[in-house]
Amino acid sequence: MRKNISSPKLFAALTLSFSTLFLPLNSRADNVCHYSWSNLQKRAEKSENRIAFNNPAGPLNIGVCWWHSRMQRNANYLLSFDPSQKRMNEKESQTLIKNLSKTKTLQTARGYRNLKEFSTSYSREMQEVLGQWQLTESFFKLGWLKGVGPSHVSPENLNRKMKDLYEEVTLRKNISFQVLQMPGFKAHAWLVTDMKKIGAAGYEITAIDSNTQNLQKYFYQPGLTQFPYVIDGRMFPRESFVPYTHYENTWQKYANILRNSCSK
Amino acid sequence: MRNTKLTISLLCLITLVVAIALYSTSENNNMILEERHIASSGKANFHTQEVLSNSLPRSVTSNWENSSTSLPHSNTQEQRANILSESLEITGSKSMSLEINETNEFENIDDSPEERFYQAALDWSADIGFMMVKAEKDIQTAEETFNFLQNCTENTSTALAYRAICAANLQRLSKKQSRLFGQRYAALKATFPADIEKFLEEAPTNF
């Protein structure tokens, strides 16, 4: 007699086979020590490795994009994930979140596969810490509120900035934190993860913008004096900006922490 | 029937072999990635360090570092607040830059008083943040948080920046839980120290 293909035994066997196939993939640790410096750039571009929530309003009600981006970058360089272990308890998770703002140590989020999963579970706590980080720096040091430079510059100036950024991102393989100075006191921030040359002197910029979960592409051509702010294809001409690289030496901290911790 | 069993067994075996192969290949790929954390670069530009050496006694930061890392509560929190406040008093007059750790050679500043202060301040503010989250769900924590924030706002012997952060959070908590704290906060605000009001007004913020 011919055996029916939908037999429960066959189904169970297939299920077992496929679970055997996929379980190791799901429970595999994502260890930051196993990445090369340049692959850490690529790590940040994957959506599962990004903070699950967008730039929240924060306690000052002006957005915490600067701190969101800095925490995103810290997590990219200093946070491993091990879903095969028992999930961290609330206190352990809080300590991990605190340390994420401190750029101090390499950590592992036990019981989580990636940053998206962890930040979904602890979105309230992370948002609050971002807000407090903002408050701390705002009250102790009001400098950031004064802006970082003009919101439009000469074509030569912007061209020089683009060359420097290209060197930082493409040659040194760093993820660059940039403040986007808009008219007045308004300033945004993003992380530049990649840059490609286009034509004779143009560039394509790939950036992580805390206002969206999607990677953003910007195009530079010589002659530009500022960029119009575009988010997911929607343009905000009044928010045109000039990008300024900040915290450019943080990558040295990352490199030192990784070098010391990963060699143990 | 026998053939079916054989087929199922074979299928399981093949799947298992493929899974093991995939797993080990992936691990190997991770292990043999080209450069391992080589921060290759030219010479970095280091800004001149604004030296605050000896401005912050080691005992202050040592105490802070030794304090409990648990969520702020009663004595521990008070102790932390005192330490932070003391730190602010000392460093505040020296126009401390919180960015100092970003602009100096890492090895030299990791253990500096400024760095330890900054780390302590981040710890402290994160603890306040966790209290704020818990306060949304737990009335007792909300009360404790309000009382703590009120005390540190009103404590004129502590640094202004520290009191301003407390005041900002006090206002946030009162807005979030207006039924619980609306009246208390209104009465309190009327007696807000003038320098705190001034500080909050001068900051281009939207509290």
Side-chain angles (χ1 to χ4, degrees), chain B:
Chain B
M1 183 67 179
R2 202 176 156 186
N3 278 347
T4 312
K5 277 187 181 172
L6 190 64
T7 310
I8 292 170
S9 306
L10 269 174
L11 188 64
C12 287
L13 188 65
I14 290 166
T15 312
L16 192 64
V17 169
V18 170
I20 291 167
L22 270 175
Y23 185 78
S24 56
T25 309
S26 163
E27 285 293 295
N28 283 339
N29 281 344
N30 277 340
M31 292 301 287
I32 58 170
L33 289 168
E34 69 265 48
E35 337 105 70
R36 279 175 60 87
H37 309 302
I38 300 165
S40 56
S41 77
K43 189 168 169 54
N45 294 320
F46 296 118
H47 297 201
T48 310
Q49 185 170 2
E50 187 185 352
V51 181
L52 297 175
S53 55
N54 303 323
S55 64
L56 194 60
R58 184 145 192 106
S59 61
V60 171
T61 47
S62 308
N63 283 342
W64 180 266
E65 284 155 7
N66 292 336
S67 68
S68 160
T69 51
S70 61
L71 274 173
H73 251 296
S74 56
N75 290 340
T76 309
Q77 177 57 19
E78 207 163 297
Q79 183 191 0
R80 285 182 148 217
N82 288 338
I83 295 163
L84 179 63
S85 175
E86 194 181 340
S87 310
L88 282 165
E89 288 286 279
I90 294 160
T91 55
S93 59
K94 300 269 186 179
S95 65
M96 194 190 90
S97 163
L98 285 179
E99 267 185 40
I100 204 158
N101 59 330
E102 306 286 356
T103 55
N104 290 282
E105 196 165 8
F106 178 64
E107 286 84 352
N108 293 340
I109 59 105
D110 191 34
D111 257 344
S112 66
E114 302 80 34
E115 178 67 9
R116 289 201 306 277
F117 166 78
Y118 180 57
Q119 300 284 335
L122 287 177
D123 260 340
W124 182 89
S125 58
D127 282 343
I128 291 291
F130 296 137
M131 278 177 87
M132 298 287 280
V133 174
K134 202 175 170 194
E136 287 174 16
K137 305 169 198 161
D138 176 42
I139 291 180
Q140 196 189 330
T141 307
E143 284 282 353
E144 284 174 9
T145 309
F146 189 94
N147 291 339
F148 167 74
L149 292 170
Q150 178 180 350
N151 288 340
C152 74
T153 304
E154 290 179 330
N155 188 349
T156 50
S157 66
T158 57
L160 185 61
Y162 169 61
R163 292 166 61 206
I165 287 180
C166 292
N169 274 306
L170 191 63
Q171 187 161 326
R172 290 180 63 219
L173 182 61
S174 305
K175 274 186 184 170
K176 281 182 180 177
Q177 308 211 21
S178 55
R179 274 197 299 176
L180 206 57
F181 301 119
Q183 285 187 331
R184 268 177 77 186
Y185 179 72
L188 182 67
K189 197 173 187 306
T191 65
F192 249 20
D195 47 359
I196 292 289
E197 284 279 19
K198 188 167 178 286
F199 198 99
L200 296 179
E201 276 168 20
E202 281 178 1
T205 56
N206 183 13
F207 285 105

Side-chain angles (χ1 to χ4, degrees), chain A residues 1-228:
Chain A
M1 191 180 123
R2 196 178 172 83
K3 189 85 180 163
N4 189 339
I5 195 76
S6 63
S7 142
K9 274 187 184 173
L10 180 62
F11 180 73
L14 282 173
T15 309
L16 182 69
S17 309
F18 280 105
S19 349
T20 315
L21 178 65
F22 288 112
L23 234 177
L25 294 172
N26 274 339
S27 61
R28 192 181 311 143
D30 179 21
N31 189 338
V32 78
C33 288
H34 292 170
Y35 284 83
S36 67
W37 190 254
S38 56
N39 275 350
L40 282 167
Q41 278 182 318
K42 297 296 160 203
R43 187 191 199 216
E45 289 182 357
K46 290 184 179 171
S47 71
E48 68 266 26
N49 293 331
R50 295 216 295 279
I51 295 174
F53 53 86
N54 292 346
N55 173 27
L60 306 185
N61 216 13
I62 53 175
V64 294
C65 52
W66 286 34
W67 296 271
H68 188 289
S69 297
R70 284 161 73 187
M71 185 174 273
Q72 171 70 64
R73 189 167 71 160
N74 282 358
N76 190 64
Y77 284 94
L78 301 177
L79 189 55
S80 298
F81 296 89
D82 190 351
S84 68
Q85 291 194 47
K86 191 184 166 200
R87 261 197 183 182
M88 299 187 301
N89 62 33
E90 192 180 334
K91 194 177 164 189
E92 289 167 332
S93 299
Q94 287 179 345
T95 304
L96 185 143
I97 296 167
K98 267 201 257 186
N99 286 339
L100 269 184
S101 63
K102 297 199 301 186
T103 324
K104 188 84 175 162
T105 50
L106 200 63
Q107 302 184 97
T108 300
R110 298 190 313 276
Y112 293 90
R113 284 178 298 173
N114 49 49
L115 184 59
K116 183 147 280 179
E117 193 174 78
F118 179 81
S119 56
T120 300
S121 293
Y122 284 95
S123 63
R124 277 294 296 121
E125 286 81 356
M126 286 179 80
Q127 287 180 42
E128 191 61 40
V129 166
L130 289 175
Q132 295 294 339
W133 192 1
Q134 179 191 45
L135 272 179
T136 305
E137 294 198 350
S138 311
F139 282 103
F140 293 164
K141 182 177 179 296
L142 288 164
W144 66 273
L145 290 166
K146 294 171 187 160
V148 292
S151 60
H152 61 87
V153 292
S154 68
E156 297 75 28
N157 189 324
L158 193 56
N159 189 258
R160 200 162 49 246
K161 284 184 192 305
M162 289 298 106
K163 282 180 181 167
D164 289 347
L165 184 62
Y166 182 79
E167 194 174 304
E168 175 80 6
V169 174
T170 307
L171 304 182
R172 292 182 189 166
K173 305 287 183 190
N174 297 325
I175 295 176
S176 188
F177 173 90
Q178 292 202 302
V179 172
L180 314 181
Q181 185 62 53
M182 293 161 174
F185 287 128
K186 249 186 281 182
H188 188 47
W190 69 10
L191 297 172
V192 178
T193 58
D194 194 20
M195 256 179 113
K196 287 185 176 63
K197 282 190 174 170
I198 293 179
Y203 295 101
E204 180 194 78
I205 301 166
T206 304
I208 297 171
D209 187 318
S210 58
N211 283 330
T212 175
Q213 292 291 312
N214 304 317
L215 279 179
Q216 300 298 296
K217 297 277 186 190
Y218 272 68
F219 296 93
Y220 167 82
Q221 286 299 334
L224 275 181
T225 57
Q226 58 181 182
F227 289 95

